[in-house]
Amino acid sequence: MESEEHKIEVKKVRKVLCIEDEYFIGELYQRALTKAGYAFTVVADGVKALNEAQTDKYDIILLDLMIPNLTGIEILRALRDNKKTPHLKAKIIITTNLEQREDVKADIEKQADAYLVKADLTPKELVEFLNNVQ
Amino acid sequence: MDQLAATKKVFRHHIWLTLFLENIILGLSLYLTINYLNFQLYLDFVISGAVALVFITLVAFFLANYVIQPLSSIRQAILHLSPSGTEPIKSPDIKSLVVGQELVTNLIGQLYEIAKIGHQSAVADGTRSTLSQNFIANSLPLPLFILENNEEIKFVNKVAADYIGLKADDVIGKNVYMILDMSFPTEDTFDVWLKEVKQKTAISTKSWERVRLNVRDNHPTLLFDLAAYYNQGNSDGISTMLILFDHTKQYSQDDQAVSFVALSVHELRTPLTLLRGYIEVFEEELRGKVPQDIENFLDKMQAASEQLTAFVNNILNVARVDDDQLELKLLPEDWGTILFNAIEGLKLQAKVRGITLELNISPNLPKVGVDRLSIQEVVNNLVDNAIKYGNQSKTVKIATKLNGEGLVETTVEDFGVGIPSSVMPNLFTKFYRDHRNRAQIGGTGLGLYLSKAIITAHGGNIWVRSDEGKGSIFGFTLIPYDQLSKELRAEDNNQLIRSAHGWIKNHSYYRR
């Protein structure tokens, strides 16, 4: 019995908010992540995504930088603003195919928990990465 | 009421009183003496003389005491204010004064007042207190920093303190490079300029555009133009003045403006992400359930998508090299592990072309200072070339060892077509390819150009030896991390930023 309880604790479902406007990419990530036991929500609009992220019910936020209505950088800044979102529990992981100048990228990396290039990893590799994000 | 006039009035009053009393005593004693002299009695004379003397002495003593009392109070006050020895000196007891209490209170009050001003300026240093009270310095609506000759911050106005998000008191007295972590677009940085003007001139001004200020973690970078003024012989002890013109909003918009290359790369990467995703789904669902030749196609599809990913990254990095935007973060890494992982990632590409990759890693290699992603691209490019041009053979050999010069040397050897000696000198030039192979083998000629740029930025060397018809061997060296950090005199920093490219850090002080 004890070990069963233990199992339940370990299997706590982690919630992922995927802020992504490329529908097919969202679809691929959804397939891989739900298969791996994550709860997955995808939002394609910047403003809606920010509102959703500010509810603070997610463990991981996958944030694309090029999305309509608000840029990923604006969302990142808003989420890191302690007045608007105090102590956000979610890890913010930038997932983008957009290239930045090194210094701009460094600035984004400083505020986010990780910075990934979508083309450099497959959905499975993303899952492996997220499994190691605590 | 005018204090000086009051003092004079009180003083006159007491002088007259003293003179009046003294005259009365003198007259009284003379009168008594003459009276006794009339009786012509010697004894009487002596007695009366003695009585008069004692009387005068007593009166004079009390008078003197009262007269001196105010003076000794003032002396006590001066002693009290002076830096004392071992024993603390008490303040004077003004209330016990019989004569001139008002006068002495006034005088001592003034003494304490003067001492207070002196004390303040001794603590705060004259110029600073003047500056902090200076209307212009404080009301300048731009961030202002004033430095002393030793590059310590002497003054910041409120706007400046607010701009960098610190309190003025936390900034004053600190070294400017500790507080302002600035990066400049060219090598002509603020500290370079300041060093130069200090040696050469007495007065100088200069301005910079697009200076970046790294504030803190979790805080976006500030972008501004900077104007500086230097004056060697300034009597106020001000050596350098800095004024910042904020353009964070405008410049960061420019930063976000996407270049043609970045846009193309984005557009290439999006379908590439999808392709790789779908191939992975097919892998999962079809592997083992379809005929062998279809499985081979799957492998080839995957290899092709990986190759394309690498190529897109190549384009991007070549653009970075050309724009001087390639910035490497050199960390102490285990080279065997990096090389092993890179080769593992290339095995599929080799396999679909029928080539085996042989890897030989010498034991006990020292840690090397490398930028993991960039150096992986070098390995990718060299092995990719070896696979392409080594088609006649079945093997590509990759080996790494410590060479005679104490550098970690890695070689990639193929046994294919080789390179004619006539084209060797141009091999590492952009877009150059062996013309005879151009028709048969794809490629852009970017790989070797990029590899050379990356290896050079690591402080290493890249070289090639080739026998036409027998094969080629490409090699590059990497510097052990310990040696590299000594070279850059930055042993205390775990991350070395090669400044040959990208933004130039203002000063070695930037490490906080």
Side-chain angles (χ1 to χ4, degrees):
Chain A
M1 287 305 283
E2 255 185 14
S3 67
E4 256 188 44
E5 262 181 41
H6 197 67
K7 263 185 190 167
I8 289 163
E9 219 176 71
V10 172
K11 276 194 170 176
K12 184 186 171 254
V13 176
R14 293 215 284 170
K15 291 180 185 151
V16 176
L17 174 65
C18 178
I19 303 175
E20 170 67 66
D21 70 321
E22 181 63 57
Y23 177 77
F24 296 140
I25 291 180
E27 192 183 49
L28 276 170
Y29 284 175
Q30 177 152 31
R31 182 181 183 276
L33 283 165
T34 41
K35 243 185 153 182
Y38 288 84
F40 187 89
T41 311
V42 63
V43 181
D45 173 89
V47 178
K48 280 182 198 159
L50 178 60
N51 288 336
E52 192 58 30
Q54 280 170 335
T55 60
D56 203 13
K57 61 183 179 194
Y58 296 94
D59 302 293
I60 291 165
I61 295 171
L62 301 177
L63 177 58
D64 188 10
L65 292 180
M66 238 194 203
I67 37 170
N69 291 330
L70 268 182
T71 70
I73 294 172
E74 283 166 332
I75 293 179
L76 181 62
R77 274 190 193 152
L79 291 178
R80 284 296 183 228
D81 185 342
N82 275 337
K83 283 173 217 150
K84 290 178 196 154
T85 326
H87 314 299
L88 187 82
K89 78 170 177 212
K91 299 282 180 201
I92 303 177
I93 292 156
I94 305 291
T95 47
T96 184
N97 275 329
L98 193 64
E99 266 313 309
Q100 314 285 338
R101 273 189 10 202
E102 283 292 326
D103 48 337
V104 179
K105 186 179 165 191
D107 205 34
I108 298 169
E109 275 178 329
K110 213 166 63 177
Q111 297 177 74
D113 294 291
Y115 188 108
L116 304 175
V117 173
K118 282 186 282 191
D120 286 351
L121 74 177
T122 64
K124 251 188 178 175
E125 285 164 346
L126 176 71
V127 171
E128 276 166 37
F129 181 89
L130 294 186
N131 286 343
N132 291 320
V133 170
Q134 290 307 321
Chain B
M1 190 181 180
D2 185 6
Q3 253 183 356
L4 192 65
T7 311
K8 274 180 184 166
K9 190 184 158 197
V10 176
F11 195 68
R12 269 201 304 271
H13 177 73
H14 287 285
I15 289 285
W16 288 124
L17 184 75
T18 316
L19 285 176
F20 177 67
L21 279 172
E22 234 174 348
N23 281 336
I24 288 177
I25 294 160
L26 210 62
L28 196 67
S29 53
L30 271 173
Y31 169 75
L32 286 170
T33 314
I34 291 162
N35 265 353
Y36 279 102
L37 276 176
N38 285 343
F39 289 98
Q40 307 246 321
L41 284 168
Y42 181 68
L43 190 68
D44 283 356
F45 175 73
V46 171
I47 290 170
S48 69
V51 167
L53 201 66
V54 166
F55 188 67
I56 288 171
T57 312
L58 277 176
V59 169
F61 176 77
F62 282 115
L63 270 178
N65 195 26
Y66 286 139
V67 169
I68 286 169
Q69 218 175 18
L71 278 177
S72 67
S73 288
I74 291 165
R75 177 175 170 273
Q76 182 75 15
I78 291 170
L79 282 177
H80 179 228
L81 289 170
S82 311
S84 59
T86 48
E87 278 186 33
I89 293 160
K90 284 183 189 164
S91 58
D93 183 13
I94 305 168
K95 279 178 186 162
S96 70
L97 285 184
V98 181
V99 182
Q101 198 176 19
E102 195 189 344
L103 168 77
V104 171
T105 312
N106 267 339
L107 273 175
I108 288 179
Q110 288 190 10
L111 269 178
Y112 276 92
E113 207 56 39
I114 291 164
K116 204 163 101 191
I117 294 164
H119 179 68
Q120 265 176 352
S121 58
V123 167
D125 168 44
T127 323
R128 205 171 101 197
S129 65
T130 335
L131 268 175
S132 60
Q133 288 155 20
N134 184 311
F135 175 75
I136 295 172
N138 267 309
S139 22
L140 186 74
L142 293 166
L144 169 74
F145 293 82
I146 290 176
L147 314 181
E148 277 178 276
N149 212 27
N150 59 5
E151 277 138 53
E152 267 183 17
I153 296 174
K154 194 180 191 95
F155 172 79
V156 285
N157 63 358
K158 187 160 184 313
V159 184
D162 290 349
Y163 187 60
I164 57 170
L166 293 171
K167 284 184 186 145
D169 287 345
D170 297 339
V171 171
I172 290 168
K174 299 260 170 66
N175 185 295
V176 63
Y177 301 119
M178 302 291 282
I179 298 296
L180 298 180
D181 175 12
M182 294 188 283
S183 307
F184 293 78
T186 65
E187 288 190 26
D188 190 12
T189 64
F190 168 67
D191 80 310
V192 169
W193 168 78
L194 191 59
K195 234 178 257 168
E196 200 181 299
V197 291
K198 276 190 174 176
Q199 284 165 5
K200 288 186 183 162
T201 48
I203 295 175
S204 183
T205 56
K206 185 168 167 73
S207 60
W208 293 263
E209 282 182 7
R210 287 177 179 271
V211 181
R212 316 178 69 81
L213 183 73
N214 195 10
V215 185
R216 272 173 302 288
D217 287 351
N218 286 339
H219 194 291
T221 306
L222 298 170
L223 296 144
F224 53 87
D225 293 346
L226 173 72
Y229 165 83
Y230 172 75
N231 182 349
Q232 197 173 47
N234 190 298
S235 59
D236 288 334
I238 298 167
S239 131
T240 314
M241 246 190 241
L242 295 175
I243 295 183
L244 279 52
F245 302 86
D246 180 56
H247 289 299
T248 304
K249 206 170 174 190
Q250 183 196 336
Y251 288 166
S252 56
Q253 267 170 4
D254 294 355
D255 279 354
Q256 284 160 28
V258 183
S259 72
F260 172 72
V261 172
L263 194 70
S264 313
V265 163
H266 180 258
E267 294 308 302
L268 284 167
R269 272 174 169 175
T270 305
L272 196 53
T273 312
L274 290 169
L275 282 176
R276 294 189 71 189
Y278 294 136
I279 292 167
E280 196 179 65
V281 173
F282 287 158
E283 276 282 333
E284 266 178 54
E285 304 292 332
L286 302 181
R287 174 84 55 202
K289 296 174 192 162
V290 290
Q292 186 60 46
D293 55 339
I294 302 290
E295 282 203 4
N296 288 349
F297 287 161
L298 265 179
D299 282 345
K300 284 171 185 167
M301 252 163 79
Q302 201 180 335
S305 72
E306 282 167 14
Q307 223 174 349
L308 189 53
T309 310
F311 172 65
V312 169
N313 287 336
N314 263 3
I315 297 181
L316 195 68
N317 283 320
V318 167
R320 280 200 191 124
V321 169
D322 289 352
D323 285 353
D324 257 0
Q325 282 286 320
L326 187 75
E327 192 180 85
L328 302 182
K329 295 182 184 74
L330 305 186
L331 295 166
E333 301 270 15
D334 181 47
W335 179 235
T337 311
I338 292 186
L339 190 61
F340 180 82
N341 289 336
I343 298 302
E344 281 297 301
L346 288 159
K347 274 194 170 157
L348 188 65
Q349 279 182 50
K351 186 185 147 193
V352 297
R353 286 174 189 261
I355 287 175
T356 320
L357 301 181
E358 277 180 30
L359 176 61
N360 188 358
I361 300 168
S362 280
N364 304 327
L365 287 177
K367 296 237 167 182
V368 287
V370 293
D371 184 286
R372 187 186 274 265
L373 286 178
S374 306
I375 204 73
Q376 261 173 9
E377 278 177 38
V378 175
V379 176
N380 278 353
N381 277 312
L382 295 184
V383 175
D384 191 54
N385 276 349
I387 293 170
K388 272 188 217 155
Y389 295 94
N391 229 0
Q392 293 155 355
S393 65
K394 292 288 160 206
T395 321
V396 169
K397 285 185 178 172
I398 302 112
T400 187
K401 64 172 198 303
L402 198 65
N403 74 5
E405 293 158 28
L407 302 173
V408 175
E409 189 171 86
T410 307
T411 50
V412 176
E413 189 175 9
D414 72 68
F415 306 92
V417 293
I419 306 161
S421 53
S422 61
V423 303
M424 293 278 269
N426 296 320
L427 214 53
F428 294 99
T429 318
K430 188 158 56 166
F431 301 128
Y432 191 87
R433 284 190 306 128
D434 181 352
H435 64 285
R436 291 184 307 172
N437 289 330
R438 212 166 284 179
Q440 298 116 33
I441 299 159
T444 53
L446 287 178
L448 288 178
Y449 168 74
L450 182 65
S451 299
K452 185 173 191 218
I454 292 173
I455 292 296
T456 309
H458 274 81
N461 274 317
I462 189 163
W463 51 264
V464 58
R465 272 201 315 270
S466 187
D467 270 348
E468 216 177 335
K470 287 183 181 172
S472 316
I473 178 163
F474 283 82
F476 61 90
T477 53
L478 291 169
I479 306 176
Y481 186 79
D482 290 345
Q483 193 183 327
L484 195 65
S485 62
K486 259 177 225 156
E487 266 178 36
L488 298 179
R489 290 200 195 99
E491 297 92 328
D492 58 330
N493 190 12
N494 232 20
Q495 176 180 299
L496 305 173
I497 295 180
R498 288 305 281 224
S499 57
H501 303 273
W503 293 82
I504 314 298
K505 281 286 180 185
N506 188 47
H507 200 270
S508 55
Y509 264 120
Y510 75 85
R511 285 176 257 108
R512 276 185 287 190

